[in-house]
Amino acid sequence: MPITMSTAAAAATVAIYVAVMLAPGALVGLAAGLRGWTLATVAPLLTFAVAGITGPWLALARVEFTVPTFAAATAMAAALALAAHLLGRRASSGAHARRDPARRPPWSRAATAAVACSVLLAAVIGGYVVLRGLGTLGAISQGFDAPFHANGIRYLADTGDGSVTGMTTVNRFDGDGAGQSPGSGLLYPHAYHLVAALAYQLAQPFGATVPAIVNANTVLLPGVLALSFAGLVRAFRGRAVLAATAAIVATAPAPLLYISMARGPILPFLLGLSLTPVAIVVLRRFLERGGIDTGFVLALCGAGLLAIHPATLLTAMLLALPVLAQRWLGTRGHGTLSRDTAALTGAATAGVLLGAPHVAGALARTGSGFPYDGWPAPFGPGEAVQALLTFQLIPSPHSEGTAQLWLALALLCGLAFVHRLGELRWVAGAALLTGLAWLVVAVSDHPLVLDLTRPWWNDPFRFMAMAAIPLTLLAAHGLAEVQAVLRDAFARWARRRQWQRRWGATARAGALGAVVITGFAVLSQGLYAPSNAALIGPRYGNPPPDDPTHMAVSDGEVEAMVELGKRAGPDEWALNNRHDGTVWTYAISGVRSVAAHYDDSWQPPRAELLAERFADYATDPQVRAAVAELDIRWVIVGTHGHLGLPPGDHRQPGLTGLDELPFLESVFRNEAATLYEITEKPAEHPPRQPDIAQRPTGG
């Protein structure tokens, strides 16, 4: 169900998000000495790094995370980056400066322009695919995780609480149910949400909604990935044709981004995954010219990935292993390994210090005993290998397990020409490592596998997406090598006919590259755009089902939540059903709700009490106390259940038979939802009882 937005409001929302995502990081990158492709590639990750680092430190200083405080933090980060750059430049020798890849552009101006146009084209193609799936920028995800992300963004925008545990209080406001003090919560990495909260604050006057902000980031993800790929190829002195091809091909694989936009959606992970190539770019720069400035950028980017999603930092580290192996095995000098190890240790230490609140929160969460069961292995060994090499989707309620065979053919060409990757040979090693990780998760449910893959939630979809990063680069390399074969053949033919003066090398390369990528696009039915959009659409109610009330978040429920926002006063809460679309209440209406996520593991004690016994409000002093303490004036309930539940009514026990309760008055009703007002308020309530059951309910 979408929230109606004008075209102008949607365009302004996306434009503001782009500015928020790029401008702060570009300022810090400029101060750190980044230029050209390196600056453009690294800027988004630097923005999320500054936000993710700043939020928790501001919270410790009891300062709110707002647009002005973030601007001040960005200025401070830029000042530190400039100081590091000046110190690094003074300490570096001329030889080191000449080895900085940013100072040795491998492409002509025409080639650079062609790659830039390809990145922009990829952003348009990928954005179109996502928007076609969404239907409109105001669409609301029907997925399990979406309300938590949306409510978290609204919470950060409303409160400015940038602490690593604050956002989780939208759903676990009494603590995590494991004996911790009320309100303590658990870590959730929130750089994604912090930047989105800034964009929401800036775009709200133009008509932006929280769902539109969530979707603006989603629409931009293919473009972010395309830019990361192009910058990665540039950093390792790859051909411009490969960079342009990689950018465009990045919009094609369904397992890389699109399937996880539908299931979950696991948006912070997808953002971090799209930025993992950036970590390799800054690692390369640091290894080529180790210094305070390059180390500062590397530490910032590492802390940024940690703040977006720890699993993406680990993914970047996995991709970095073959980069380091290629460097150490290929060098002729002595001591490179020891020098690099010492330098990387220093940069890692700086990153840990910058992200210390996230590191401490991650360690606390690891030891918290939070429910974790993992996912079942979906394939046998042979099927898993086939799925990996054919970009096959995992059969699930979200897809039928179809393969993308033209991508597989391009990958086959890339593997055949892997010896021509040059300084990008490590990509083959990265494909091998991530492919092996996928195979282990895809075929085994062994407890050791579950433990080792816990940062990724043992999720086969995430491991397939992770493996798709180097595999997509290899597929793009395959197409680029087809272009090279055609280029050489055309050059021989042109020499025989004395056409070499009419056709310059750059023009021939560009024209043949365009022919190859166009042919691939035609054969793959528009880079698989229709099928990729079709993956996304059903999980956003596009097209709507025959009975709209059977959606996880229906039109009627959204209408009721909007009505609640009009009626509720400041600081008033609403009691709602955890198993229907009203978990979106806070994001849509601005009114805090008792249930802000479908997840019922470790419910807050008062939430569990009200879910079980709210109907006893008139006679139960504990219920009356909980209502008074939370300032609950409203009750909102919808229909149906989330996608993890079978069809039917899944009303929590304490929220059944509400029409018969004398202390409730129905003030709004439609075919899918009802809004009640509590008309009887207790003048006094006894002290809150401490013996409310606290029990985990499973995950």
Side-chain angles (χ1 to χ4, degrees), residues 368-385:
S368 68
F370 188 81
Y372 166 70
D373 298 322
W375 295 79
F379 288 125
E383 296 171 321
V385 173

Side-chain angles (χ1 to χ4, degrees), residues 605-606 609 613 620-623 625 629 686-693:
R606 285 178 288 185
L609 168 72
R613 291 156 43 190
D620 191 324
Q622 284 188 321
V623 173
E629 288 163 3
R688 183 178 170 199
Q689 303 297 316
D691 58 347
I692 299 174

Side-chain angles (χ1 to χ4, degrees), residues 39 60 148 161 164 237 240 245 307 353 395 402 405 419 425 434 438 597 643 673 677:
L39 175 63
L60 290 173
F148 176 70
D161 177 9
V164 295
R237 303 183 180 91
T245 304
L353 293 175
T402 54
L405 297 180
H419 60 285
R425 292 187 305 275
T434 56
W438 149 255
H597 191 359
L643 297 176
E677 182 178 4

